[in-house]
Amino acid sequence: MNHLKIAVALACGLAALATGSRLLAADQKATVADADAFIERYNEESKEIYFESAAAAWIQSTYITSDSQLLNARAGERALNFQNRMIEESKRFNDLKLSGDTARGILLLKVGSTMPAPRDGAKVKELATLASSLEATYGTGKYCPGGGEECFTEQDLIKRMATSTDYADLLDAWRGWRTVSPPMRSEYQRFVELMNEGARELGFADTGELWKAGYDMAPDAFEADAERLWLQVKPLYEELHCFVRDRLSEHYGNDKVPAGEPIPAHLLGNMWAQEWGNIYDLVKPFDSELNLDITAALEKQGYDAEKMVRSAEEFYTSMGLRELPESFWQKSMLVRPQDREVVCHASAWPMNLKEDVRIKMCITPTEEDLTTIYHELGHIYYFLYYNHLPPMFQSGANDGFHEGIGDALTLSMTPAYFEKIGLLGEFETDEEALINYQMKIALDKIAFLPFGKLIDQWRWDVFSGKIQPDDYNAGWWRLRTEYQGIAPPVARSEADFDPGAKYHIPGNTPYTRYFLARILQFQFYRSMCDAAGFDGPLHECSFYGSKAAGDKLAAMLSLGQSKPWPEALYELTGTREMDASAIIEYFAPLMSWLQESNKDRSCGW
Ligand code: X8Z
Ligand code: ZN
């Protein structure tokens, strides 16, 4: 369960405490004051159930057993029931003209759930049990070749995908991880049916429409906006894809990676081909001496998990932001425990809506993990800076904001920053070094864009029925090929359930947030660079150490979800639109270079 599911559990609130005695009688006319009191009561009561469901979810994720699964399912069920009762009760205020905060509170109550539950109690139980079970199946998933004794965890296989450049070895890891998900298929199908029933009872066409309703605009308008952003950045992706395919073709051979065809999905250094930074050595444009090997430096300097987190914290405090609370260090899970099953997928947790904030991660000393730590601390700082607000407003301005904060800081992890903190030596600044450096960043930031967009394209289609259960896997690969220009390395069929091998599908975490974050983080970064007084080319900026940038960030964080997101965006950036101009500006040098380099290649797939 990640922070937003928690926020959802929070929005779900508390079950048993809503006593009938305080409900209005059906024939009594509700007033504006009743609505204000209702929201106040919601804020109070939801805390109690939220604490319980957060604790149950934390225990399940850090100690997966049938017992913790059962307790988590029960706590989830109570939370969902509470949410349903509160939504039902709030309908009494539908025709009233309510005060700003109360109206917003009631709106958020209706659109804030990512797991809409039907009213029928038996179905609520079934839904909560399925959610818990899918999470556990993912968390405990292992690949045991030939059904033998030796098994590999997600983490083992991720590492192989990141470090091997052997076609057959990569194929084995890729295929192996996808043996964990077929058992999820029928559960997922039922999960979708139940959520859709819940969404319809709330007045939405399906769960996808509900998810799209969480952005302070009509669902259709949001979908169009996301599409607009994608079209803005698509040309960047197409150039990158073209260049990378050519380099992979040189390494693996034309027969394995043919020109004009989608790239085999297992050759991009990542289990899901979502970020490609791990193949930097295979595709780097120039043979310069520029050493960007942070992983080697972390290993050499004996960085352990805690030291890595302290180093990320130091970036935040250098900007004048507060220190992490002591309990963070005591209660977080930073490394994989040896004696029990856990969900290793990284997440950040606001446990009591005050100071008890934690991360859960299986940290290894790699650059990828260091970057993820900055990401997770972005969530943690958001939690800490909005914890003065009522529970209702303790969330990101929209979910893309929550995902984009830590990432905006990672853009400031420039070679100059790494040199300052002693992880890199002196670096070159010539044109070739710049293109190499930008390529390294683009392999993560730009390669991710179509992936970030298509995951929910698949789910929106599944929820609406456009993709039917007997077409789940084929529909998935149609989108993967259309958006990313990749293809499965071996034939797939409906006996597979490849979407389930990506955490956020069984974890039911909406994914458009990461797509938005990829765009927003450059907007945040550009504005913080302005605040820091930086006026060179954008990609050179690091606002490490800038209190002015920190003040601007803190001001936005402390708004939480109390205002529509365009207001929060305005607070930090002076604009009310999500817009790709900053990411385009950042990568301008690389893009001109790629266009020139690709001009004799035949691009596309
Ligand atoms: O899930 C995450 C974070 C936790 S919110 C580790 N991310 C997405 C993913 O891993 O698929 C961050 C980037 C995209
Ligand atoms: Zn995140």
Side-chain angles (χ1 to χ4, degrees), residues 2-3 274-275 345-347 372 375-376 379 403 407 448 451 502-504 511 514 518:
N2 79 0
H3 76 278
Q274 65 182 66
E275 281 160 332
H345 188 84
S347 52
T372 302
H375 174 95
E376 296 306 331
H379 291 308
E403 299 300 339
D407 288 10
F448 181 80
F451 183 82
K502 174 67 195 161
Y503 169 74
H504 302 69
Y511 211 84
Y514 302 108
R518 260 326 118 122

Side-chain angles (χ1 to χ4, degrees), residues 188 192-193 195-196 199-200 204-212 223 456-469 472:
Y188 191 75
V192 168
E193 279 167 20
M195 287 201 294
N196 270 344
R200 283 188 203 109
F204 294 94
D206 59 61
T207 310
E209 196 186 68
L210 168 62
W211 285 10
K212 287 178 245 171
E223 191 171 345
D456 280 353
Q457 200 61 56
W458 182 80
R459 271 189 296 207
W460 294 342
D461 288 352
V462 164
F463 292 140
S464 75
K466 190 171 160 203
I467 295 179
Q468 287 289 317
Y472 274 171

